[in-house]
Each structure stands twice: as C-alpha cells, then as structure tokens.
Amino acid sequence: MPLFQIYKTSNLFNVPRYLAQAFMLMLALMSGAFAQTAVPEFLRSSSSPPQPEARSWALLESETGWLIASKNEHDRVDPASITKLMTSYLAFEALSNGKVKSEDKVYISKQAWKAPGSRMFLDVDTSVSMGELIKGLIIQSGNDAALAIAEYLGGSVSGFANLMNDKAAELGMVNTHYMNASGLPTSNHYTTAYDTALLSRAIIQNFSDLYVLFSVREYTYNDIKQPNRNGLLWRDDSFDGLKTGHTKAAGYCLAGSALRGNTRFIGVVMGAQSKKAREQGVQALIEYGFSQYETVSVFEANTTVKTLDLFKGEHKTAALGSPQAISVLMPRGQAQALELSYELPEKLVAPLQIDDEIGQVNLSFKGNTIGFVPLMPLQNQALGPIWSQLLDAIKIKLF
C-alpha cells in the first residue's frame, strides 16, 4: 500500500474527519473537492527552483498535491494535445465503471478518419476496439483516435466536450475549458499549467492500473509503428508519463511525471520554444523536487502505534494504529526534526470498533504543526464477562 501524506487543514475545504482517517486533507480529486495548496513555508526548500524557458510551468508533489514551484501557473494557454489527458481520463473512467469494455468495437466515422495532425491511421467505416483506440490516443497521440472515442462516449464531439468540461469542474480545474477531444486549435479551448498538473495527478491516483499506458514507448497499428512523443521516457526509467502537445499557438508543451521510491513529482511546461526545451524544463523541475524533498515514513498501516489499558473488555489492553501507512513530505535531510505528540483518553473503555477514533498523533516540524493522524483500534474489542465489567467499573471510579 502506498504511503499517504498528511498535512495541515486550516484555511482549506472541510474534510470529514472519519473520511480523512489516517491522513488529513487529501486534496480530494477523488471526491471532487479541491483547494490549491502550496508547500507550507516552514517545509519549503531554501534552494531556488529552476526556471524553465516557457510561458508557464508548475511542479506538483503527487500525493499531497502541494505546489512546490511555479510560474504563471494560472495563465490560460492553448493546450494542444495535452487535451488528450482529459480524453484519456474519461476513457479510463468509462472502463473502470463498466460503461465500456476494452474489447468493445468503436465505429470509425468519416469525421474521425479525416482528423488532421497526428494520427494512428484508422480506416474509415471500420470498427476498432476501445483498447486499441486508447493506446493510439496516448502513445501515438492520434487525433483520429480522440475523435472516435469522443463520438462513442459522448455521442458527438460537442457532447463529449460537455463531459470533459463537467469533469474539469469536478476536479477543480477552474481555468480550463474544452471544445474538442484532440486539442486541435479552436477558440475558447484553453487550460493552465496548474490545471494540467491537477489533471495529471487525478489520472495517476484514480487509475493507477491504466496509468501504465503512458509509459509505453511505441505502438504499432495498421502496420505503422510510432514512438511515444514524450522523450523523457528514454532518459530515465523513473519517468513514466504523461503527454506532450504542440501547435503553433500553443508552442511545445509537456506534462511529465516520475516516481522514485515512494515519492512522485509532476512537472508541467507550457509554451516552450522546442521539444528539447520542454523536456529539459520538465526534467529540471522534477529533478529539483527529488533533490530538495523526501518522503519520511512515520508508521506503517495497521501496526501498533500505542497500546493502552482497556477497561470492561475481553482483553486488558488495546492496540491503536492507523489503517493507512503514514508519511510526510519534508525537506531532504530534515527527518530528525519531525516531532510526534499524542492526544489519548485517560481511560479506554470497551466495547470498541476498528473505525472508532480513540485519539490522535500530532505531527510538527520545528514547532510548526503539519497535521494529525487519528488513531483507531487495530481490532474490535468486545465487552468482557459481567463480573469483570463490574470490577473495572469500580476501578474506573476509584482511579
């Protein structure tokens, strides 16, 4: 089970404490709620980030959603084929919820077949599996694949664009608006570096099993082999996504991500002057993230954090822990400054259920509060025999 980050909830949207469980403030792309959060000042690296030569850029830590560094991250820009990230998201969602299957056949219309620009070279009036179209969409950046998927899932390109915009709103992409599924230039079609990072994070977190498609380096369809346009996939095996884009209006764009150990960073560059510049920019951002920050494990899932005396129960003690593994993103080399304190009840009385919040662990760094972790029983605790309950009742009153 991957480690989850925990962090401060003040001045952000309200997350029910039970849902937060072992981490506070999952900036819940999964739940549809979102509030932008920069890395807390007291955890910020003192080293200045790189400055990619591009119109805008953003560096995001994937688990927390913390914005590590950015420039013009909310400026609206033409996304070009970065648009296909949302097309991929909706295709993944349809597969995951059973609306479609990978083997389902999709009719290739004349409109899809005629799509200009990058293509997977579909044949008109044929039927192609959804699985093949998704590979052509992601690996080959096929505009024809994007249109075919849009027509199948949305009934039409405009119908699918409505679905795209609904999902963007749900994910908190407040500066994004789609007009088509491919990213071909048109008016009122835009996104931002930050929204692109946000969408990338949602894909990684919500569809981890399908995300692997973004790391495939080449794909052959119709006897035509095409390479993935994301050159970072050949530079370092830790780079495993996501998507490139280019038009004259958009410039050269790239959303990239890399995972090393249990830490993942997402870098986005929009409006660079060349393929080389966009790749160098994203790589520099992500390397900065890994060089300046590390994920520090606090404790593992379902392991004993505290053991308390238990009154009126079958057992005399109860082990408390978290159902989730807990870790904290910190400046590299500062793990020793992480401090833990506990808030626990004076007397613990049965019965207890595993989802009861018994107390919490407070985490701080150099006197600054990072967050808290609710503690819960690692197993249900039933009432003991009547005579034992009576005896413990006396002990509770006396002591």
Side-chain angles (χ1 to χ4, degrees):
M1 174 178 288
L3 298 180
F4 289 92
Q5 312 295 334
I6 59 176
Y7 41 99
K8 195 172 181 180
T9 56
S10 61
N11 300 320
L12 294 168
F13 62 86
N14 210 8
V15 178
R17 195 173 180 195
Y18 171 73
L19 292 179
Q21 285 190 351
F23 56 98
M24 43 184 289
L25 205 272
M26 174 67 84
L27 284 185
L29 295 176
M30 299 182 198
S31 70
F34 176 76
Q36 179 183 333
T37 311
V39 59
E41 189 64 34
F42 62 86
L43 291 175
R44 185 177 296 277
S45 169
S46 59
S47 176
S48 298
Q51 300 291 318
E53 296 181 2
R55 295 176 193 168
S56 58
W57 49 266
L59 176 65
L60 207 70
E61 196 280 324
S62 181
E63 199 63 58
T64 59
W66 281 346
L67 186 65
I68 304 298
S70 61
K71 176 185 176 181
N72 301 328
E73 69 273 21
H74 298 304
D75 286 2
R76 294 177 177 180
V77 295
D78 189 321
S81 283
I82 292 282
T83 299
K84 296 185 179 95
L85 287 177
M86 181 57 82
T87 307
S88 301
Y89 188 101
L90 292 176
F92 287 174
E93 188 174 62
L95 288 174
S96 297
N97 64 24
K99 181 178 179 180
V100 300
K101 296 180 180 178
S102 181
E103 59 270 23
D104 285 353
K105 295 297 184 179
V106 178
Y107 174 71
I108 307 305
S109 69
K110 187 175 182 179
Q111 182 183 12
W113 170 71
K114 288 174 61 180
S118 55
R119 304 166 53 81
M120 69 177 289
F121 296 100
L122 297 169
D123 292 323
V124 68
D125 292 331
T126 61
S127 293
V128 180
S129 73
M130 176 62 74
E132 287 180 302
L133 289 175
I134 291 174
K135 290 177 182 177
L137 173 77
I138 293 172
I139 305 165
Q140 299 178 329
S141 195
N143 292 333
D144 47 359
L147 265 65
I149 291 171
E151 291 172 343
Y152 188 72
L153 295 181
S156 65
V157 172
S158 60
F160 189 74
N162 290 335
L163 298 178
M164 297 171 77
N165 289 320
D166 288 345
K167 186 57 63 175
E170 180 181 326
L171 296 178
M173 300 167 62
V174 297
N175 287 302
T176 294
H177 188 266
Y178 297 108
M179 295 296 290
N180 61 57
S182 63
L184 289 170
T186 186
S187 60
N188 208 31
H189 186 90
Y190 54 83
T191 191
T192 68
Y194 181 73
D195 283 1
T196 299
L198 190 61
L199 176 56
S200 299
R201 178 178 180 242
I203 291 172
I204 292 166
Q205 292 195 339
N206 295 353
F207 307 108
S208 57
D209 55 335
L210 295 168
Y211 173 69
V212 67
L213 290 173
F214 287 97
S215 66
V216 178
R217 294 181 177 180
E218 60 184 23
Y219 180 59
T220 300
Y221 180 78
N222 223 352
D223 295 325
I224 301 172
K225 181 188 290 187
Q226 296 187 68
N228 194 314
R229 290 165 171 76
N230 182 0
L232 293 179
L233 299 180
W234 282 266
R235 293 193 181 192
D236 184 330
D237 286 343
S238 68
F239 286 89
D240 54 12
L242 291 149
K243 190 73 189 72
T244 63
H246 172 253
T247 62
K248 184 177 180 180
Y252 290 86
C253 309
L254 174 59
S257 183
L259 175 67
R260 297 177 189 172
N262 56 6
T263 306
R264 175 182 290 280
F265 286 98
I266 297 166
V268 176
V269 164
M270 307 294 281
Q273 294 299 307
S274 66
K275 292 180 181 178
K276 182 178 180 180
R278 72 184 177 189
E279 291 173 7
Q280 288 180 336
V282 170
Q283 184 169 22
L285 288 172
I286 289 177
E287 295 293 351
Y288 170 81
F290 285 121
S291 71
Q292 300 301 312
Y293 297 91
E294 63 179 328
T295 301
V296 177
S297 177
V298 181
F299 41 78
E300 297 299 321
N302 297 311
T303 57
T304 301
V305 175
K306 283 288 184 180
T307 300
L308 300 183
D309 291 336
L310 180 65
F311 293 90
K312 298 186 179 182
E314 283 185 316
H315 304 97
K316 296 300 182 184
T317 60
L320 305 181
S322 167
Q324 303 286 349
I326 301 300
S327 61
V328 182
L329 187 72
M330 301 184 66
R332 185 167 290 279
Q334 296 292 308
Q336 72 280 0
L338 179 64
E339 300 175 351
L340 279 63
S341 61
Y342 298 87
E343 295 182 26
L344 300 168
E346 291 185 6
K347 294 182 175 65
L348 193 58
V349 182
L352 301 174
Q353 302 294 318
I354 58 173
D355 57 356
D356 291 339
E357 292 186 14
I358 303 303
Q360 66 185 44
V361 183
N362 299 315
L363 281 74
S364 60
F365 177 75
K366 296 182 178 179
N368 298 284
T369 299
I370 299 174
F372 69 88
V373 182
L375 293 178
M376 304 173 185
L378 296 181
Q379 64 182 40
N380 294 332
Q381 298 287 349
L383 288 168
I386 292 296
W387 63 265
S388 178
Q389 293 183 50
L390 293 173
L391 182 59
D392 280 354
I394 295 172
K395 290 179 180 180
I396 290 172
K397 287 186 176 182
L398 291 177
F399 303 103

